[in-house]
Amino acid sequence: MYLKHALRAATALTFVATAAAHAQSITIATVNNGDMIRMQGYTDKFTEATGIEVEWVTLEENVLRQRVTTDITTKGGQFDIMTIGMYETPIWGANGWLVPLDGMSAEYDVDDILPAMRNGLSNDGTLYAAPFYGESSMVMYRTDLMEQAGLEMPDAPTWQFIREAAAAMTDRDNDINGICLRGKAGWGEGGAFITVTGNSFGARWFDEDWKPQFDQPEWKEALTFFVDMMNESGPAGYATNGFNENLSLFQQGKCGMWIDATVAASFVTNPDDSTVADQVGFALAPNSEGVDKRANWLWAWALAVPAGTQQEEAAKQFIEWATSKEYIELVAENEGWANVPPGARTSLYENPEYQKVPFAQKTLDSILAADPDNCCAQPTPYVGIQFVAIPEFAGIATQVSQEFSAVYAGQQTVDEALAKAQAFTAEEMEAAGY
């Protein structure tokens, strides 16, 4: 069945006859997340249809960001396709560092990409990266442990309920942590999570005059709450845990709750990988009582072509294949609808088969609830939810996240970390001319 899809896609993409006759190869840098690993397993289908070989460079999230940023800013030319997200894409596109993804085939159906994803991966109306999958964040929890605790998860919980439930589900004798959350340094790892946590307590990175806000009470409340809850009910060494570490803990049955990317839902409910697959429920990301903002983000891991590649057409062909409706059908046919890349296409959420997936609607609700133009309870001068869409943010937030991780590790106090974050951010923003 896939051969039919491959041949149809080949026609739609106007592959030239010489593609298979001449050895051609592209190099792709990607993150070591489950959906990306799965995609690599199907690459031979693309090669069979096109004759284009694919070489993969698969990296941990923080390392990937460092490598692709260095390569594109120095014009290193190591990669023909980069896996990047909503932070980098508009900035790099505006700088002329990415190839516009215009001219996609009619069958590819660009308009089918969810507007939130398409807008976040565009600059001035031009798409510069295609979403492989999209995500927000939500609560994943053990239904059996919640029941044993005598509690019922609300559809839209508060942080105060989450903390109460985490304490009730924690069982140190049996190595069960009530809650597992990111603490790993890195602007897109623990930095992203503590930023949306701050949003949900009424905090913001900058006021309308671009002055850092880490000296304000909302940040102290958010960071103190996070640290106290994790010390009470989180795993030992959570300061070094990111997405993959917490995924592993949850799949092993060592977490009562995990708040993280909606894309994780397919992994925690997969009986081949998760020991608690049939005992997982879902809820919206929490807010703090009295604050009308939830700790949910908006993100897409997307594929982009760096300007200057010698393999532009082949790279575009791969992106169209990997982010197409046909690819989704391929995964569904072989691994079931629960395992297809989520959050990228409207048609997926209109598919009756996918609507049967237990986390499908909650994922879509979380994505639709995320508003990058209005991240915070107070006005801000920036766009972005778990990031600030300015070039300086990655460097600043990496340093700030390191200060926060030092708090998680018990190396400094909340007040010390916030003071350092305030001073460092103010200095960097002043130097940048804000």
Side-chain angles (χ1 to χ4, degrees), residues 250-394:
F250 195 97
Q251 288 178 323
Q252 294 172 46
K254 296 182 178 181
C255 302
M257 290 179 289
W258 179 30
I259 305 170
D260 212 298
T262 52
V263 70
S266 67
F267 303 121
V268 298
T269 57
N270 186 339
D272 293 336
D273 302 315
S274 176
T275 62
V276 297
D278 60 347
Q279 299 168 328
V280 183
F282 306 95
L284 295 176
N287 68 303
S288 184
E289 292 176 356
V291 177
D292 190 26
K293 292 293 178 181
R294 296 197 166 271
N296 61 319
W297 59 62
L298 186 67
W299 186 253
W301 276 120
L303 304 179
V305 181
T309 175
Q310 301 302 304
Q311 303 291 343
E312 180 177 319
E313 289 307 312
K316 284 184 175 180
Q317 289 173 18
F318 181 87
I319 289 176
E320 185 155 341
W321 171 80
T323 63
S324 66
K325 298 176 185 178
E326 284 76 19
Y327 177 83
I328 291 174
E329 293 172 6
L330 169 64
V331 176
E333 180 180 338
N334 286 277
E335 303 186 44
W337 282 102
N339 295 308
V340 304
R345 287 187 169 270
T346 300
S347 57
L348 178 63
Y349 291 92
E350 295 173 343
N351 185 310
E353 291 303 312
Y354 193 68
Q355 290 173 355
K356 298 175 185 176
V357 174
F359 50 81
Q361 189 61 48
K362 194 65 67 179
T363 295
L364 183 60
D365 290 345
S366 298
I367 289 172
L368 295 178
D371 184 358
D373 293 321
N374 297 282
C375 68
C376 303
Q378 303 178 70
T380 67
Y382 56 86
V383 173
I385 302 176
Q386 77 278 24
F387 60 83
V388 177
I390 58 174
E392 296 80 9
F393 178 77

Side-chain angles (χ1 to χ4, degrees), residues 11-241:
T11 301
L13 293 170
T14 63
F15 290 154
V16 293
T18 57
H22 295 83
Q24 198 173 11
S25 178
I26 57 174
T27 302
I28 305 175
T30 196
V31 66
N32 63 342
N33 290 351
D35 281 295
M36 300 305 192
I37 301 298
R38 180 179 286 127
M39 175 171 56
Q40 294 176 39
Y42 290 109
T43 305
D44 59 336
K45 303 294 186 182
F46 172 77
T47 300
E48 288 171 11
T50 66
I52 300 170
E53 299 287 342
V54 180
E55 297 180 6
W56 292 93
V57 178
T58 307
L59 303 166
E60 185 270 332
E61 184 171 326
N62 286 337
V63 178
L64 172 75
R65 289 192 166 106
Q66 293 169 358
R67 285 280 299 275
V68 299
T69 300
T70 299
D71 190 66
I72 204 159
T73 55
T74 62
K75 300 181 180 179
Q78 296 182 56
F79 310 115
D80 302 300
I81 295 174
M82 295 176 167
T83 304
I84 59 177
M86 290 183 167
Y87 169 65
E88 301 95 342
T89 301
I91 296 172
W92 293 3
N95 287 343
W97 296 348
L98 300 175
V99 175
L101 296 183
D102 44 20
M104 303 290 252
S105 69
E107 186 177 43
Y108 179 74
D109 194 2
V110 171
D111 291 339
D112 184 51
I113 298 174
L114 283 168
M117 301 302 159
R118 192 168 65 246
N119 294 339
L121 296 169
S122 298
N123 178 70
D124 198 22
T126 297
L127 187 71
Y128 282 97
F132 182 68
Y133 67 77
E135 66 181 42
S136 184
S137 48
M138 66 182 176
V139 182
M140 294 161 278
Y141 67 95
R142 290 273 300 277
T143 55
D144 57 330
L145 296 183
M146 188 69 70
E147 184 178 356
Q148 290 173 24
L151 298 170
E152 184 176 345
M153 175 67 77
D155 181 64
T158 65
W159 274 116
Q160 289 71 22
F161 174 85
I162 293 293
R163 184 172 178 177
E164 175 191 353
M169 288 191 285
T170 297
D171 183 352
R172 300 298 188 196
D173 292 338
N174 290 301
D175 199 19
I176 296 175
N177 308 284
I179 191 161
C180 296
L181 300 174
R182 300 188 193 191
K184 178 185 286 188
W187 71 262
E189 273 279 10
F193 193 86
I194 197 60
T195 293
V196 294
T197 300
N199 295 347
S200 66
F201 278 81
R204 53 185 172 167
W205 267 78
F206 302 102
D207 69 9
E208 292 178 285
D209 295 320
W210 289 103
K211 294 180 180 178
Q213 297 295 288
F214 295 109
D215 58 355
Q216 297 302 301
E218 293 85 0
W219 263 113
K220 183 171 183 178
E221 182 183 4
L223 189 56
T224 300
F225 182 95
F226 179 85
V227 171
D228 288 348
M229 179 176 64
M230 292 301 290
N231 287 343
E232 291 167 0
S233 306
Y238 74 90
T240 59
N241 287 350

Side-chain angles (χ1 to χ4, degrees), residues 426-434:
E427 181 179 350
E428 293 294 309
M429 292 296 284
E430 183 177 353
Y434 285 84

